[in-house]
Amino acid sequence: MSEPTVVRVEGEQPYDVVIGHRLLDRLPALLGGGVRRVLVVHPRALRATGDAVREDLAASGYEAVTAEVPDGEEAKVAQVASFCWQVLGQAGFTRSDAVVGVGGGAVTDLAGFVAATWLRGVKVVHVPTTLLGMVDAAVGGKTGINTTEGKNLVGAFHPPAGVLADLSALETLPQFDLRAGMAEVVKCGFIADPGILSLVEQQPDEAVRWDSPVLAELVERSVSVKAAVVGEDLTETGLREVLNYGHTFGHAIELVERFTWRHGAAVSVGMVYAAELGRLAGHLPEKVVDRHRSILAGLGLPIAYRGDRWSALYDGMRKDKKTRGDLLRFVVLDGSGRPTRLEGPDPALLQAAYVEVSDS
């Protein structure tokens, strides 16, 4: 395997995202000096991985403990965060100690939130084990948990001390989860780097093979897109909103489906919805909308949603974090690599876009 690639995320608290294979020996360097105790947060499905990380840390001289949490979005609730705080308290964690999140986006969101809130903020390093986690959730400093009212409504901005994107972890990732993660990769292509789209179109099979150079390049390009955005706008006061392309409708699907849909699958439909909304609002030519459908469907991702849920979806979108008062805000495109905002669109326009993505 080639040498790892390092993408630097700038800002007030700069950090490195290390991308490559077999990277766990680099974890102590990202934790830095002064750390004595480390909490390894991992999902139930990755118990062996979590134990291996704990053992490696113990062999390096750390007092390492684990907190096993539920799989998927079930981990992102207040009760699980409270459990992690309890572990930290019982183990005597101080402000100079650290949390390591090992798992997919749900775990890194949770671990980051726990680190952000323990003693008003301790160090966190993410070890994402899914493609979604590597290109999106673990990078950028957004942390959060869900409530019954919506996704990520409780959270904090808390940049990690570093991210280890170990591509070897993708070897055992179920194929659909890998493909679902590609939705965030494609998103980066449409908002900032059309070269991503060309790579996926030209080599679709290599794009979803865990050990291919094409996938490695796609991860590097996607992380670079996100790093450039969050380095300028950590707290989403302006530019960072473009990273939410497809997410307003996608998050509404997740809420309506009680988080049983994969995030990437929901965002895939959400991007097609945003493309149709942009077309209907006069921003986007039809050929770019068609390109959305072609690329996403070619990756085996859904591009339509059931046609009898408009009321619930509209209510879900009104609860989105980007909403200001009663003003709904969407990221749409003026063309590939040219995101813009659409504020307060007519509800009839929103419903018309929904009809375009309905499968019935």
Side-chain angles (χ1 to χ4, degrees):
M1 296 293 181
S2 59
E3 279 295 304
T5 299
V6 177
V7 177
R8 185 72 167 171
V9 183
E10 301 294 350
E12 291 185 10
Q13 302 176 56
Y15 58 94
D16 290 335
V17 181
V18 185
I19 304 164
H21 292 268
R22 314 297 180 195
L23 300 177
L24 276 183
D25 61 345
R26 294 174 178 257
L27 183 53
L30 292 182
L31 287 168
V35 175
R36 178 182 170 192
R37 301 175 183 87
V38 180
L39 173 67
V40 179
V41 181
H42 67 84
R44 187 175 298 115
L46 292 179
R47 180 178 297 168
T49 304
D51 286 343
V53 173
R54 177 186 56 78
E55 290 168 5
D56 282 357
L57 288 169
S60 297
Y62 297 97
E63 293 181 18
V65 296
T66 59
E68 183 174 289
V69 300
D71 297 327
E73 293 291 323
E74 290 183 12
K76 288 179 55 174
V77 294
Q79 295 91 327
V80 177
S82 180
F83 160 69
C84 293
W85 293 324
Q86 183 179 19
V87 174
L88 290 169
Q90 291 176 349
F93 272 61
T94 68
R95 191 166 287 174
S96 62
D97 296 321
V99 175
V100 172
V102 180
V107 169
T108 57
D109 281 357
L110 169 71
F113 179 67
V114 168
T117 49
W118 183 253
L119 301 178
R120 298 187 177 92
V122 298
K123 189 178 292 186
V124 64
V125 172
H126 295 311
V127 184
T129 60
T130 66
L131 181 58
L132 174 68
M134 291 176 188
V135 302
D136 185 51
V139 181
K142 271 189 178 181
T143 75
I145 56 175
N146 305 329
T147 71
T148 54
E149 288 72 34
K151 182 167 181 171
N152 297 330
L153 295 181
V154 178
F157 292 100
H158 188 62
V163 178
L164 283 183
D166 191 335
L167 301 173
S168 299
L170 302 179
E171 181 178 8
T172 57
L173 188 69
Q175 182 64 202
F176 182 73
D177 287 349
L178 182 61
R179 292 176 182 273
M182 285 297 298
E184 293 286 356
V185 173
V186 171
K187 176 201 75 177
C188 290
F190 275 117
I191 66 171
D193 183 358
I196 288 175
L197 305 178
S198 297
L199 269 176
V200 174
E201 287 173 321
Q202 293 165 9
Q203 302 186 69
D205 293 336
E206 293 295 295
V208 292
R209 188 164 65 83
W210 74 272
D211 58 349
S212 78
V214 172
L215 180 57
E217 181 177 349
L218 289 170
V219 171
E220 292 163 15
R221 283 176 172 266
S222 300
V223 170
S224 295
V225 167
K226 187 158 190 181
V229 172
V230 302
E232 290 189 37
D233 179 20
L234 171 65
T235 57
E236 205 169 58
T237 57
L239 175 63
R240 185 166 181 162
E241 278 192 346
V242 303
L243 295 172
N244 289 308
Y245 183 60
H247 283 57
T248 301
F249 192 81
H251 281 166
I253 290 176
E254 290 182 272
L255 183 61
V256 169
E257 296 292 337
R258 300 176 184 268
F259 304 111
T260 58
W261 268 50
R262 289 287 187 269
H263 174 73
V267 168
S268 177
V269 179
M271 283 190 284
V272 179
Y273 177 84
E276 288 288 4
L277 182 60
R279 179 184 66 82
L280 292 169
H283 286 268
L284 197 65
E286 189 170 353
K287 65 179 181 180
V288 182
V289 181
D290 292 342
R291 194 181 189 194
H292 279 68
R293 286 193 166 90
S294 173
I295 291 174
L296 293 166
L299 289 168
L301 289 168
I303 55 174
Y305 185 67
R306 55 190 299 172
D308 60 350
R309 288 291 185 270
W310 174 241
S311 178
L313 289 166
Y314 183 64
D315 184 58
M317 289 192 292
R318 287 170 59 85
K319 296 174 181 175
D320 186 80
K321 298 187 300 301
K322 293 179 294 303
T323 298
R324 303 291 186 266
D326 291 328
L327 190 69
L328 275 170
R329 294 150 59 94
F330 292 84
V331 178
V332 296
L333 300 177
D334 282 331
S336 294
R338 296 167 56 199
T340 188
R341 294 174 186 81
L342 183 64
E343 297 190 355
D346 190 303
L349 194 69
L350 297 176
Q351 189 165 7
Y354 170 63
V355 170
E356 295 297 324
V357 300
S358 299
D359 59 9
S360 61

